[in-house]
Amino acid sequence: MNAYDIIKKPVITEKSELLRKEYNKYTFEVNPKANKFQIRNAVQELFNVKVLTVATMNYKPVTKRHGMKLYQTSARKKAIVKLAEGHTITYFKEV
């Protein structure tokens, strides 16, 4: 797996933005088969930063109902990456 297969997309929510501003932690949705070492190397390679810690969370599929139809959400994995001081990742170009 290369770095683009491991990191799927950034997770941008109110909580993740608070983590980013206060603790220099960034949240990504990652490949469910990737481990912490692969995630660390992928973030360092893609964004050219130094990673201190990686925390991962696995989300199991949940059965939901829409009217009479049942469906399952997809399984996913999320990683919170803490960067060293002085390192940042910019998602968007600020105006």
Side-chain angles (χ1 to χ4, degrees):
M1 274 193 287
N2 64 10
Y4 292 103
D5 293 333
I6 294 171
I7 305 294
K8 289 184 178 178
K9 62 182 179 179
V11 176
I12 302 172
T13 60
E14 289 182 25
K15 186 174 183 179
S16 67
E17 287 300 308
L18 287 173
L19 285 173
R20 181 182 65 80
K21 288 177 184 174
E22 293 185 19
Y23 301 107
N24 202 22
K25 292 184 178 183
Y26 294 83
T27 308
F28 297 97
E29 190 170 320
V30 296
N31 187 329
K33 294 182 180 180
N35 60 31
K36 291 182 180 185
F37 300 110
Q38 291 171 330
I39 294 168
R40 174 192 308 255
N41 292 335
V43 170
Q44 289 181 155
E45 180 184 329
L46 289 176
F47 301 106
N48 203 15
V49 293
K50 184 176 182 200
V51 175
L52 295 179
T53 60
V54 177
T56 59
M57 292 148 281
N58 283 304
Y59 291 98
K60 294 180 181 177
V62 177
T63 303
K64 292 194 172 190
R65 176 187 300 272
H66 186 266
M68 293 292 290
K69 301 197 188 257
L70 292 175
Y71 67 96
Q72 277 194 333
T73 60
S74 58
R76 57 194 176 102
K77 187 172 190 176
K78 205 164 71 166
I80 298 177
V81 177
K82 181 177 173 93
L83 302 182
E85 267 188 60
H87 292 270
T88 58
I89 297 173
T90 54
Y91 298 129
F92 305 111
K93 183 178 169 186
E94 296 193 24
V95 178

